[in-house]
Amino acid sequence: MKLIRFLCIPLFLLLVLLMRWKGNIRIGEIWSNRLGHLIGNTECYLAEREAGIHKDFIDIWYSRDVSANTVIQKKYNKLLHTVPTWLGYLVRVCNRFFSGWEKHEVDPLQYDRDFNNYWKHPYLSFTRFEEWKGRRLLKKLGIKGKWVCLMVRDEMYLKEKGEFNYHDYRDSDIDSYGPAVLELLERGYTVVRMSVKVSKPLKIKHSRFIDYAWEGKRTEFADLYLGAKCEFAVGTACGFMSIPQAFERPIVYVNHAPLEYVPVSQEKALLIWKHHIKDGKRMTLEEIFKCGAGQFTAGPDFAKLGITLEDNTTMEIVDAVVEMADNYPNVPWKGLQPEFWSKFPIDSISPFNGRKLHGRPGMRIGKEFLKTYD
């Protein structure tokens, strides 16, 4: 196979020359190996395309790697012009032998960040067969009525991909979510704990609590269906949360870090973040943003400045979940919170590519949590 691909290089070069001669053909890479980017990047591109940003081009896509979710990948393949990974990759490599190659490649404007507020509706959908399959899934799991998805990163998250251990600062302890889960169960919700791998179970015995991740009930389709149809989701920012986000389900983000990478334009979201501790004291919002910690994306960066990240308390998590449950389905809330947004650097620029990070803010900060920052 490798020999065949090598012998096809002249053909790839001809394809590249065709791209450059036509002028409006571009090659792009779907970040399929990470769920958050598979959905976030692709949804942003589709929203931009609908807004007319890419209307003058014919864009051809290939997948980067093994897909984080093949069910979702196949759905996007129907919405895009796609070619096999090996073909797209070699065309892209050949394109880069020529000057001006950048004009013949395509990406969303800022990966998974919708800084123009173009993202207005879901682009993924379910067929009639998939809806039937989803109803069977709910029956099999014992879900009757409304449910909440709980997704908490822990030490097992991406453990098999050791290159991502610098993101461990985003992990938190599942046990601290127990009282919030009990509160939701008391209100009549079923709670489903999501993830591919987890380090330990959440020790709650209740007919409407499903430790789906620990009990080995997880499938790619179930991830999609449960996340897309839940009443709302609760947990840490990670790949799974892009599913309820894509389907415009409300989300309670807890234990968030880094603070400047929150999805501010997400109108059906509620946020509380990890406490930044330095010299034994909790840092103010101004201190976090001034020292640059709001954009740190690796654990060692915090350590260099002597900053320790502490998880939200059990009560802080409960307060945020109760606020969402009390307001649902009336979110988004009316009126922003000037006490927070006047301090938040909404005009932040990405240190990686010099582009904007944020659009028009729409998310809500946990009411009780924000009081402690007055």
Side-chain angles (χ1 to χ4, degrees):
M1 181 61 73
K2 290 182 179 180
L3 177 61
I4 293 175
R5 293 175 185 173
F6 177 78
L7 294 174
C8 286
I9 286 178
L11 174 61
F12 301 143
L13 288 171
L14 286 174
L15 290 174
V16 170
L17 291 174
L18 175 63
M19 288 169 54
R20 300 174 74 83
W21 174 63
K22 291 287 292 183
N24 67 339
I25 300 176
R26 301 185 297 186
I27 189 77
E29 180 184 58
I30 301 171
W31 288 19
S32 51
N33 58 331
R34 299 293 302 277
L35 184 59
H37 286 294
L38 168 61
I39 297 176
N41 293 31
T42 311
E43 291 284 316
C44 281
Y45 169 79
L46 291 170
E48 292 163 8
R49 188 175 72 177
E50 184 176 339
I53 300 301
H54 307 288
K55 63 182 176 63
D56 296 326
F57 297 93
I58 299 172
D59 294 331
I60 300 171
W61 298 85
Y62 69 94
S63 298
R64 166 180 285 198
D65 204 343
V66 175
S67 180
N69 188 303
T70 57
V71 173
I72 294 173
Q73 179 80 62
K74 289 176 181 177
K75 287 181 175 294
Y76 282 134
N77 287 349
K78 294 179 181 179
L79 300 175
L80 302 168
H81 302 297
T82 60
V83 295
T85 297
W86 63 271
L87 175 59
Y89 174 76
L90 288 174
V91 168
R92 191 169 192 174
V93 169
C94 291
N95 176 52
R96 292 191 174 188
F97 283 115
F98 300 89
S99 62
W101 58 266
E102 301 94 337
K103 298 178 182 178
H104 303 281
E105 293 193 5
V106 59
D107 283 305
L109 297 178
Q110 183 59 308
Y111 304 122
D112 59 350
R113 306 195 66 81
D114 178 30
F115 65 80
N116 284 312
N117 295 88
Y118 288 141
W119 195 343
K120 303 298 183 184
H121 61 85
Y123 292 91
L124 294 173
S125 61
F126 293 98
T127 64
R128 291 178 63 182
F129 171 73
E130 287 172 329
E131 292 286 5
W132 171 83
K133 186 177 177 181
R135 291 192 293 271
R136 283 179 56 94
L137 168 69
L138 298 181
K139 185 176 181 179
K140 181 179 179 180
L141 292 175
I143 297 176
K144 297 178 181 179
K146 54 191 178 182
W147 70 90
V148 171
C149 290
L150 173 68
M151 174 66 218
V152 180
R153 288 179 61 120
D154 65 18
E155 62 187 18
M156 287 299 294
Y157 192 84
L158 292 179
K159 188 173 183 179
E160 72 279 10
K161 298 182 180 181
E163 67 270 24
F164 294 109
N165 58 9
Y166 61 88
H167 276 176
D168 289 351
Y169 68 91
R170 295 166 61 187
D171 298 346
S172 57
D173 185 357
I174 186 63
D175 291 337
S176 63
Y177 296 78
V181 171
L182 292 173
E183 176 66 30
L184 290 169
L185 294 172
E186 185 70 22
R187 289 170 177 253
Y189 292 99
T190 295
V191 179
V192 187
R193 182 193 181 191
M194 312 300 294
S195 194
V196 177
K197 294 182 180 180
V198 293
S199 61
K200 62 180 180 181
L202 178 55
K203 297 179 181 178
I204 292 179
K205 292 186 177 180
H206 193 287
S207 60
R208 282 185 281 103
F209 174 66
I210 303 169
D211 207 335
Y212 160 97
W214 180 258
E215 296 169 3
K217 298 177 179 179
R218 183 257 172 188
T219 67
E220 291 185 343
F221 175 77
D223 280 356
L224 175 60
Y225 193 83
L226 293 172
K229 301 284 187 175
C230 65
E231 292 295 291
F232 59 90
V234 177
T236 51
C238 59
F240 170 79
M241 290 301 196
S242 62
I243 297 176
Q245 181 182 0
F247 283 89
E248 298 184 302
R249 310 313 304 148
I251 299 175
V252 184
Y253 291 105
V254 302
N255 284 309
H256 189 89
L259 190 49
E260 284 186 56
Y261 278 83
V262 298
V264 303
S265 60
Q266 196 174 336
E267 294 184 343
K268 296 183 179 181
L270 184 70
L271 170 74
I272 62 176
W273 56 89
K274 289 200 175 193
H275 300 290
H276 294 57
I277 309 299
K278 185 173 183 178
D279 299 328
K281 298 179 181 179
R282 187 179 66 173
M283 299 173 69
T284 65
L285 288 169
E286 293 91 339
E287 289 171 337
I288 293 171
F289 298 135
K290 185 177 180 180
C291 74
Q295 289 196 4
F296 289 169
T297 56
D301 294 336
F302 293 99
K304 287 177 183 177
L305 289 189
I307 299 172
T308 302
L309 296 182
E310 289 188 359
D311 286 359
N312 295 129
T313 67
T314 293
M315 198 63 233
E316 287 169 342
I317 298 172
V318 170
D319 285 340
V321 169
V322 167
E323 184 176 354
M324 175 63 81
D326 283 347
N327 283 277
Y328 182 81
N330 298 317
V331 290
W333 296 267
K334 297 298 182 183
L336 292 174
Q337 298 158 301
E339 62 269 42
F340 176 79
W341 294 110
S342 64
K343 300 171 184 176
F344 188 87
I346 198 68
D347 295 324
S348 290
I349 299 299
S350 168
F352 301 106
N353 59 20
R355 300 174 190 167
K356 287 183 62 178
L357 284 174
H358 306 298
R360 182 179 61 255
M363 74 184 328
R364 184 87 174 170
I365 311 304
K367 179 174 62 177
E368 296 302 320
F369 184 78
L370 190 57
K371 288 179 181 178
T372 68
Y373 275 84
D374 288 345

